[in-house]
Structures are given as structure tokens and as C-alpha cells.
Amino acid sequence: MHSTDRLLGAAAAGSFAVAAVLGLVVAPPDGVQGQAQRLMYVHVPAAWLAYLCFAVVLVCSVAYLVRRDLHWDRRAQAAAELGVGMTALAIAMGSLWGRPVWGAWWVWDPRLVTTAVLLLVYLGYLSVRGLSDDRAAGARRAAAVGIIGFVDVPVVHFSVVWWRTLHQPPTVLSPDPAPMDPRMAAALFVAVLAFTLAGAWVVRRRLQMLAADDGPVPAVPVVAPAEPLVVAPRSRA
Amino acid sequence: MTSWGWVVAGYAVTTGTWVAYVVWSRPGRRRP
């Protein structure tokens, strides 16, 4: 394993351990929601990492369409896979949090619905890749979906501002951040850091596998033989 | 379920998701 991967993996594991202690022990329970609010320390980082992954998909998709280099396509694919996993995790954690606090696993709320649409868009992104046997055509179509699909990310983020919603408004990424207990803020910050480091680590590992699937780039271009092959006529003797 | 029960369930699902992803993304994994 590459030394950068080892370092990233160790940093991710260490920050996960610190985040667990901060989130489960050090941070106080919420005055209204009680202990269930601790789910914020896994729900918010999952949503943050999903946003980050889809931003990477956007940048790499544009880079692929400009450069037509499969390196960019593989980066977009690896980021999209993790983004889909993190979106599903954010929805699952929101559901586990909603049941004790809202009294419902799911409500047809703008934030929840736009997040579900986000999950479907990027599942579509991954599906589009396999529609053609032509590797470049699949990458081109996926890049188009990866660019257009990103439109839903700001819609998800601002859904709690634009529409009447049960979901709470942004706490940190807001022009007017809500005051937060410093222990809660520390737990959230370290959890976001842990998710980000772990995301970078697994995407790097995944890229190695995707690169192996595409095979090595030939060092010299494959060209036709300069001289046509001549088959000697069979002797009639 | 108690308030702590939801928290423990959430942390368990999160840990399971990450472990599964790390195993799945391991370079050199044998393909099905």
C-alpha cells in the first residue's frame, strides 16, 4: 500500500475514534431532544461528504469532457459511488433520528424528498455508465449526468430555507450560524473531518481497482505492420 | 426504544456501512 494511503487510513481511524468519544461522551445531550440528538454527529457528516463527493463528480465530469482522459472519469465514478453510499447513510440516519424526535421514520418534506431525488440521480449516473459497451461513450454520458445532476445539491441544501419544512434550517453552513455548545461544535467538526479523511482514503483505494479494470495505457501506439504479410506460394514440385 | 437505543443503532449502522465500504473498495479484491 502507498504510504499516503497508510497515512490517510491511520488519520481516518484515529479521527473516527476521537469523534466517537466526543459525540457519545463529551458532548452534552440536547436540551430538547435529549440523547437522540447525538445522531447529528453521524447524520450531518454523511450529508456533508455526499455533497463533497458530488462536487468532485461535477469537477471531474467537466475535466473529462474537456480532456477526454479516463483518469477523470474514474475519479468521478469513485466519488459518485461513495456519494451514493453517503446519501443513503444520511437518509438512514435521518430516519433513525426522525422516529424518536418527529414520531415518524419518513415524512414528505422538501429536504427529505430532494435528498431522495439526489440519491436517484446519482444511482442513475452509475447506471448510465453501463448502458453502452463503448467505454468512452459511457464516460461521456455519465459526465453529462454528473454535471446536470449537481443542480439538485444546492436545491437540497436550500430546501429548508426556500420551503416550509419540518427539518431544521442549516446550523453551521448558514449566513447566520446558530449558537452551539463548543463541545457539540467540536464533536461535529471532528466527525466531519473523520468522514472526509475516510472518504479520501476509500476513494483512492477504489481508484486503484478502477484503473486496473481499464488496463494499462500502452506505452507505444498499436499500429498496423509496415509490410503486409506475404505467404510464400506452396511448391508444386 | 430508549433515546440511547436510537443513538447506538445509528452508530452501529454507520460503522457497518464504513466497514463494508472499506472491504468492498479493497484493491485486489477477488471479483465475483
Side-chain angles (χ1 to χ4, degrees), chain A residues 107-173:
Chain A
V107 287
W108 294 99
D109 175 275
R111 169 57 72 85
L112 278 69
V113 171
T114 51
T115 307
V117 169
L118 192 69
L119 180 64
L120 292 176
V121 165
Y122 284 92
L123 280 172
Y125 169 90
L126 294 175
S127 304
V128 155
R129 315 182 63 83
L131 290 180
S132 170
D133 289 335
D134 182 345
R135 177 76 177 81
R140 202 167 55 244
R141 289 169 189 162
V145 176
I147 293 167
I148 297 167
F150 190 78
V151 169
D152 194 34
V153 170
V155 174
V156 171
H157 184 70
F158 290 108
S159 60
V160 290
V161 179
W162 292 341
W163 297 297
R164 196 164 40 189
T165 172
L166 193 59
H167 196 284
Q168 70 179 65
T171 306
V172 179
L173 294 177

Side-chain angles (χ1 to χ4, degrees), chain A residues 15 19 41 101 113 133 136 178 188-189 211 225:
Chain A
S15 50
Y41 309 123
V101 173
V113 171
D133 289 335
L188 184 60
F189 175 77

Side-chain angles (χ1 to χ4, degrees), chain A residues 66-92:
Chain A
V66 173
R67 298 280 179 86
R68 300 297 165 127
D69 183 342
L70 286 174
H71 283 303
W72 292 108
D73 176 63
R74 289 194 292 267
R75 287 172 185 145
Q77 181 183 346
E81 289 168 349
L82 182 62
V84 164
M86 287 300 112
T87 306
L89 183 63
I91 291 174

Side-chain angles (χ1 to χ4, degrees), chain A residues 227-235:
Chain A
E227 296 290 332
L229 291 174
V230 177
V231 178
R234 191 176 291 173
S235 170

Side-chain angles (χ1 to χ4, degrees), chain A residues 16 24 35-36 38-39 41-42 81-82 86 89 93 96 99-100 105 195 198 201-202 205-206 208-209 213, chain B residues 1-15 17-18 21-29 31:
Chain A
F16 263 123
L24 293 172
Q35 305 295 353
R38 294 182 193 278
L39 286 165
Y41 309 123
V42 285
E81 289 168 349
L82 182 62
M86 287 300 112
L89 183 63
M93 291 306 100
L96 275 176
R99 181 67 184 82
W105 297 100
F195 271 62
W201 181 54
V202 294
R205 284 156 51 102
R206 178 74 179 132
Q208 293 174 31
M209 194 189 286
D213 283 350
Chain B
M1 186 150 54
T2 65
S3 202
W4 269 112
W6 296 106
V7 176
V8 171
Y11 273 68
V13 171
T14 302
T15 306
T17 302
W18 274 110
Y21 198 90
V22 166
V23 171
W24 178 76
S25 66
R26 184 166 53 90
R29 172 173 60 90
R31 304 303 170 84

Side-chain angles (χ1 to χ4, degrees), chain A residues 12-36:
Chain A
S15 50
F16 263 123
V18 174
V21 172
L22 288 175
L24 293 172
V25 180
V26 175
D30 183 73
V32 176
Q33 300 181 20
Q35 305 295 353

